[in-house]
Amino acid sequence: MQTIAVIAPGAMGSAVARRLAENGVRVLTSLTRRSAATRARAEDAGMTHAEDAEIVAADLILSIVPPADAAALVARLAPSLASVVKKPVYVDLNAVSPTTVHGIAATIAPSGAPFLDGAILGLPPKPGAKGPRIYVAGEDLAPLLALRECGLDMRACEGGVGAASGLKMAYAGINKGLRALAAIVVLGAERAGAGAALRAELAESEPELLARFAAGFPDMMPKAHRWVAEMHEIADFLAPDRAGGQVFAGAAEIFARLAASEGEADVVALLAFAEAAGGSSRTR
Amino acid sequence: MQTIAVIAPGAMGSAVARRLAENGVRVLTSLTRRSAATRARAEDAGMTHAEDAEIVAADLILSIVPPADAAALVARLAPSLASVVKKPVYVDLNAVSPTTVHGIAATIAPSGAPFLDGAILGLPPKPGAKGPRIYVAGEDLAPLLALRECGLDMRACEGGVGAASGLKMAYAGINKGLRALAAIVVLGAERAGAGAALRAELAESEPELLARFAAGFPDMMPKAHRWVAEMHEIADFLAPDRAGGQVFAGAAEIFARLAASEGEADVVALLAFAEAAGGSSRTR
């Protein structure tokens, strides 16, 4: 029986763990100092608590944590990884830049544990539905691609360590950058008294984009706070490009405003635009 | 017979003029100090040269010039507009910000000529095809909406002077801002070795966006130089919003780079991405 450690049991981590557990994998996680709610979610997903010494004895370790925690997790596990004889494959699946991933790889390297760069694109797997695409990049991808047998949509990403993270940054940059752009422009149109005209024009000439905004605005409001850091990470990813730094600094700025109390009127305006757009696209 | 002055006979101006001339309108323009090619294009479109004294005697004056020339045209015509008894309606149809439009309106006001704010969305009218949407905003729109009888797709834009320009800025901001975003992100993915992976992922999960990029990249290269000023105009339009200023400063920056010799490698990379994307979408 294969043993896989999934850290941590967040929304994505616990959903991936559940899929693995349902397919006969023994899934470990780390619940030290976690809340009762997190412990309950982990247990419900079929995950078992383990100390770090047991976690590094797993066949695979999947790191699925908030971007800011990715490097700290590796720093914590590196001594245990160095002391164990049979090394697990360590996979970083987080929304971090290739630069951050190379730093993580460098922290792990002395332990001798194989390292893979990974990226999860799409929403957490749900019962009965196809899960997100999970890309991996690096030298020996076979142990990860084998998880296709366990209900995960594993993909090989060419280009070596850094390419999967680059793919994640680029994909999130398009998806979330477009929402930032749309929010900024719609708010500008509303200030100029042209909000309704813009909505009518988009309904006629760009119905796909309008439908995207109508669904995207309500979805992004509760996530805007979290996306601020992700926009900064994408700006770092694009760093040699001054234009990229500017655009994603602006994206971070609008998400920060929408997440703060000063942005309340903007949130109301965008949700009203989305509701009217949803209405107009339904009646088309 | 209605007389309409269309200044200047550029690609858009001459196409609008042709449509009007074909529908029985006498179309004047200003050809002083214009090249032989421009004179030939104007003549071919059915436009007749007139001095400013005759232009201000027209029923309507449509200003269709490069954004940077919009204010200068009004300054030039204002004295003649003040001296004529029967005032023409002056319509600014340029891609300028509401602030610029309010400045133009203020320049005209002392002459007593009615002023309308306008915006052209879409490509120049072509023979046999439906033309662009031409929005007008202001007090008495009837003389402009009547041009529907002359083959133009005239639209009323609520919100008063500034709203049509705001609509144009917002629409161009979405359309061209998305291309800037896509160019920046695709170049970042290529640098990280993830260009092909991004293309494959978009083909699967975002085929509409990928098709948009595949068509949009080749189209924008010859226009990138011109779009730099338009991005700065949109940044001005969004001015109270720091995020908008940042995003469109970045958009101006990427278009400037693609238009300059230092951006040659980037142009090549984006065109290759577009060609491969077009290929992959054709084989889908």
Side-chain angles (χ1 to χ4, degrees):
Chain A
M1 187 187 200
Q2 196 177 15
T3 300
I4 300 179
V6 178
I7 302 171
M12 181 64 80
S14 61
V16 168
R18 180 189 302 276
R19 182 66 53 99
L20 291 170
E22 285 167 355
N23 284 273
V25 174
R26 182 169 165 251
V27 186
L28 305 180
T29 193
S30 179
L31 293 171
T32 309
R33 285 189 296 276
R34 299 305 299 253
S35 68
T38 300
R39 287 171 172 266
R41 174 165 58 194
E43 189 180 346
D44 183 62
M47 305 168 93
T48 308
H49 169 71
E51 298 299 327
D52 288 357
E54 195 182 355
I55 282 172
V56 296
D59 300 301
L60 304 175
I61 300 177
L62 307 185
S63 169
I64 306 178
V65 295
D69 299 346
L73 177 61
V74 164
R76 185 185 107 192
L77 292 178
S80 307
L81 283 169
S83 66
V84 78
V85 176
K86 186 177 150 292
K87 310 290 184 188
V89 179
Y90 188 97
V91 193
D92 185 281
L93 289 159
N94 303 302
V96 292
S97 72
T99 306
T100 302
V101 164
H102 286 298
I104 288 171
T107 306
I108 287 193
S111 76
F115 175 75
L116 294 178
D117 175 26
I120 304 177
L121 273 61
L123 298 174
K126 281 178 199 163
K130 208 165 165 355
R133 288 81 63 205
I134 305 182
Y135 287 86
V136 281
E139 285 191 14
D140 181 10
L141 304 179
L144 273 294
L145 298 182
L147 297 181
R148 288 170 182 162
E149 305 302 316
C150 302
L152 295 181
D153 187 0
M154 304 302 303
R155 313 280 181 107
C157 179
E158 288 181 21
V161 166
S165 299
L167 170 63
K168 172 71 180 180
M169 293 285 101
Y171 191 78
I174 290 172
N175 181 6
K176 292 163 191 169
L178 176 52
R179 292 206 232 186
L181 174 70
I184 285 166
V185 168
V186 166
L187 290 172
E190 295 286 358
R191 281 194 301 272
L198 177 64
R199 199 164 52 234
E201 169 64 31
L202 291 174
E204 182 174 336
S205 63
E206 296 281 6
E208 287 161 4
L209 282 185
L210 185 63
R212 206 180 170 94
F213 302 164
F217 287 166
D219 173 68
M220 82 186 174
M221 296 308 174
K223 301 175 185 168
H225 176 72
R226 186 152 55 80
W227 288 1
V228 176
E230 196 169 337
M231 294 305 105
H232 288 307
E233 193 78 26
I234 295 172
D236 285 351
F237 163 61
L238 297 168
D241 176 3
R242 200 157 75 101
Q246 288 171 307
V247 166
F248 284 92
E253 174 91 17
I254 182 70
F255 290 137
R257 197 169 81 223
L258 294 175
S261 56
E262 55 165 13
E264 259 175 52
D266 290 340
V267 170
V268 169
L270 291 174
L271 293 180
F273 184 94
E275 192 174 339
S280 63
S281 73
R282 272 196 301 274
T283 58
R284 277 173 61 82
Chain B
M1 187 187 202
Q2 197 177 15
T3 300
I4 299 178
V6 178
I7 303 171
M12 181 65 79
S14 62
V16 168
R18 180 189 302 276
R19 180 67 52 102
L20 291 170
E22 286 168 354
N23 285 275
V25 174
R26 181 170 166 250
V27 186
L28 306 180
T29 193
S30 179
L31 294 171
T32 308
R33 285 190 295 276
R34 299 306 298 253
S35 68
T38 300
R39 287 169 173 268
R41 174 166 54 193
E43 190 180 344
D44 182 62
M47 304 166 97
T48 308
H49 169 71
E51 298 299 327
D52 287 358
E54 195 182 353
I55 282 173
V56 295
D59 300 300
L60 304 175
I61 300 178
L62 308 184
S63 169
I64 306 177
V65 295
D69 299 347
L73 177 61
V74 165
R76 186 184 105 193
L77 291 178
S80 307
L81 283 169
S83 66
V84 78
V85 176
K86 187 178 150 290
K87 311 291 185 188
V89 180
Y90 188 98
V91 193
D92 186 283
L93 289 159
N94 304 302
V96 293
S97 73
T99 306
T100 302
V101 164
H102 285 298
I104 289 171
T107 306
I108 286 192
S111 76
F115 175 76
L116 294 178
D117 175 27
I120 306 177
L121 273 61
L123 298 173
K126 282 177 197 165
K130 208 164 165 0
R133 285 84 60 207
I134 304 182
Y135 286 86
V136 281
E139 284 192 15
D140 181 10
L141 305 178
L144 273 295
L145 298 181
L147 296 181
R148 289 169 181 162
E149 304 302 316
C150 302
L152 295 181
D153 186 0
M154 304 302 304
R155 312 281 180 107
C157 178
E158 288 180 20
V161 166
S165 300
L167 171 63
K168 172 72 179 180
M169 294 286 100
Y171 191 78
I174 290 172
N175 182 5
K176 292 163 192 170
L178 176 51
R179 294 207 230 184
L181 174 71
I184 285 166
V185 168
V186 166
L187 290 171
E190 294 286 358
R191 283 195 300 272
L198 177 64
R199 199 164 50 235
E201 169 63 31
L202 291 174
E204 183 174 336
S205 63
E206 296 282 6
E208 287 160 4
L209 282 184
L210 184 64
R212 204 179 171 95
F213 302 164
F217 287 166
D219 173 67
M220 82 185 174
M221 295 310 174
K223 301 175 184 169
H225 176 72
R226 185 154 54 81
W227 287 1
V228 176
E230 197 170 336
M231 294 305 106
H232 287 306
E233 194 78 24
I234 295 172
D236 285 350
F237 162 60
L238 297 167
D241 176 3
R242 202 157 74 103
Q246 288 171 310
V247 166
F248 284 92
E253 175 91 18
I254 183 69
F255 290 138
R257 196 169 83 219
L258 294 175
S261 56
E262 56 166 14
E264 260 176 52
D266 289 340
V267 170
V268 169
L270 291 174
L271 293 179
F273 184 93
E275 192 175 338
S280 63
S281 72
R282 273 197 299 275
T283 57
R284 279 174 61 81

